[in-house]
Amino acid sequence: MRKRLASLNANTLGILCLVGALGCLTISDSIIKWVSDDMPLHQITFWRSCFAMLAVLVIVQLEGGMVRLKTSRPALHLLRGSMLVLANMFFFVGLAAMPLAETVVLFYTAPLFICILSQPVLGEKVGLRRWFVIVVGMLGAIVMLRPGSDVFRMVSLLPVMAALCYAAMTLMTRKLGIRESGGALTFYIQIAFLLISVLSGWVVGDGKFDVYDNQSLHFLLRAWFWPSLAQLQLLLLCGLIVGFGGYLMSQAYRLGEAPIVAPFEYASLPFALLVGYYLWGDWPDWPAFVGTGLIISSGLLVMYLENRDQKKALRQAPIDL
C-alpha cells in the first residue's frame, strides 16, 4: 500500500516537474527565436550553455556538492546529451524555414515515440487507455497541422527527427535517473552542448561554408561574431532559464514513469501560444483552437484515468499491518 502511494506521488511530481520545465523552455525558445536573425545556432548554443552551467552548479551544490557529479556511466551521459543536442539542432533549423506552429506540432510526435519505445527499452507497460489519449493528442496535432502540399516537404522531417532524438533522450534519462541525481543529469547535458557547440564553431565559425541560399543552412553556417551587450543579457537569461528547466526536465523522467509523464509534453502548446501572441502578435485560427483543445484534453484525461486506477488499487489492496 505504501509502495503504491509512493508511486502515485512520484508520477505526480514528475508531471509537475515536466510542466514547469516546459514553461521555462518555452521562454528559452522565444529568446533564441528573437536573436536568431543575427546569431548562428552554434554561437547561441555556446553562450546559452555557458550561462546555464551557472544555474546547474548552484543546483549541484544544493544537492550535496560536486561529489554528486561522480558517475560510472560517462558514455551514456554523453550519448544522452548528444541526443538532446541533435534534437535542438533539428528543431531550430526546421524552425528557421517553417512556421512556428507547424514546427511545434510536428515535434509533438515525441510523446508517441516515447510510448512506443518505453515498453521494449524500459519494460514499462503501455495500456490501451494511455494509447487512446496519445492518439487523441496526435489527432489534435493533425488538426492544427492541416496536412497539405506545402506541409510534407523534406524540411518537415526535421521536427520529426528532433522528436525522435528527444524521445531517445528521455528514455536514457529514465535509465540514468535510477542512480544519478537530477543535478548530474543536467550538468552532463550542458557539457555535451558546450563540447558540440565549440566543435561546430571551430569547423564552420568563420562563415566560409555559408554560401548557400537557404535559410536553414544560413542559420547553421553563419559566421561567429562577438555579441552585443543586449544580446549577452538575453543569452544570460536564456541560459539560466535553460539550466533550471533542464533540471526540472531531468527530474520529471527520473521520478515518473515515461508513459504517464509523456502526454504532458503537450502542455508546452498553451505556453507557446501565449508567448507567441504577447511577443509577435500571433494568434491561432479556429482549427488551431480545436487542435489545442484535443491536445489539452488528452493530458487531462490521462491524469484522470491514472488517478482513478491508483485509487481503485488502494481500495482493493489489503491493509498492511
Side-chain angles (χ1 to χ4, degrees):
M1 181 174 180
R2 288 189 295 271
K3 184 176 180 181
R4 292 191 179 96
L5 280 171
S7 176
L8 174 62
N9 291 334
N11 286 328
T12 301
L13 285 172
I15 291 168
L16 292 174
C17 285
L18 180 61
V19 172
L22 293 171
C24 291
L25 297 178
T26 299
I27 297 174
S28 168
D29 291 346
S30 301
I31 294 173
I32 291 175
K33 182 176 176 61
W34 191 273
V35 301
S36 63
D37 288 340
D38 301 315
M39 301 181 70
L41 179 59
H42 52 83
Q43 186 178 10
I44 294 173
T45 301
F46 172 78
W47 285 109
R48 185 187 68 170
S49 296
C50 285
F51 294 131
M53 192 62 76
L54 299 176
V56 172
L57 291 176
V58 171
I59 291 170
V60 169
Q61 287 300 316
L62 293 175
E63 286 192 337
M66 300 299 287
V67 68
R68 298 287 287 171
L69 299 179
K70 185 177 180 181
T71 180
S72 59
R73 293 179 285 182
L76 188 55
H77 275 292
L78 182 59
L79 180 60
R80 173 178 174 266
S82 299
M83 289 295 101
L84 187 57
V85 172
L86 286 173
N88 274 257
M89 184 187 73
F90 288 136
F91 180 84
F92 287 118
V93 173
L95 182 60
M98 296 173 58
L100 176 61
E102 292 181 12
T103 309
V104 171
V105 167
L106 287 172
F107 184 73
Y108 279 150
T109 54
L112 181 58
F113 287 128
I114 292 171
C115 284
I116 291 172
L117 296 174
S118 61
Q119 186 161 342
V121 175
L122 300 179
E124 295 179 352
K125 183 180 179 181
V126 183
L128 289 177
R129 286 177 296 186
R130 292 176 188 168
W131 278 115
F132 171 75
V133 295
I134 288 294
V135 169
V136 170
M138 292 303 297
L139 285 175
I142 292 172
V143 170
M144 290 190 65
L145 186 57
R146 284 160 286 176
S149 60
D150 292 335
V151 172
F152 296 102
R153 298 171 294 165
M154 289 300 294
V155 71
S156 299
L157 296 176
L158 291 174
V160 178
M161 294 169 67
L164 181 58
C165 292
Y166 180 80
M169 185 277 297
T170 58
L171 295 177
M172 292 179 196
T173 299
R174 185 69 174 160
K175 272 189 168 298
L176 283 167
I178 297 173
R179 298 180 182 177
E180 310 283 348
S181 68
L185 292 170
T186 312
F187 176 82
Y188 289 110
I189 280 286
Q190 297 306 325
I191 290 294
F193 270 113
L194 284 171
L195 290 175
I196 295 176
S197 63
V198 168
L199 178 61
S200 300
W202 179 68
V203 174
V204 304
D206 58 1
K208 64 183 178 182
F209 297 107
D210 187 17
V211 295
Y212 303 98
D213 186 18
N214 181 281
Q215 190 175 3
S216 296
L217 291 177
H218 186 53
F219 186 37
L220 275 179
L221 305 175
R222 187 183 296 148
W224 181 290
F225 68 94
W226 188 258
S228 66
L229 178 60
Q231 289 172 329
L232 279 176
Q233 289 172 338
L234 283 173
L235 292 171
L236 170 62
L237 176 61
C238 181
L240 295 177
I241 291 172
V242 162
F244 185 62
Y247 173 76
L248 290 177
M249 184 69 72
S250 297
Q251 288 289 79
Y253 285 99
R254 190 176 74 88
L255 296 172
E257 297 178 49
I260 297 173
V261 174
F264 289 86
E265 295 278 353
Y266 294 126
S268 62
L269 180 58
F271 293 144
L273 291 175
L274 290 173
V275 173
Y277 176 72
Y278 180 76
L279 293 180
W280 292 284
D282 296 332
W283 192 249
D285 53 15
W286 70 265
F289 275 115
V290 172
T292 302
L294 289 172
I295 290 169
I296 294 176
S297 297
S298 69
L300 294 175
L301 182 58
V302 76
M303 177 183 287
Y304 167 76
L305 291 174
E306 190 60 33
N307 287 337
R308 189 183 68 175
D309 288 349
Q310 290 287 349
K311 290 177 181 178
K312 183 178 179 181
L314 289 174
R315 287 196 300 267
Q316 294 177 350
I319 299 175
D320 295 335
L321 298 177

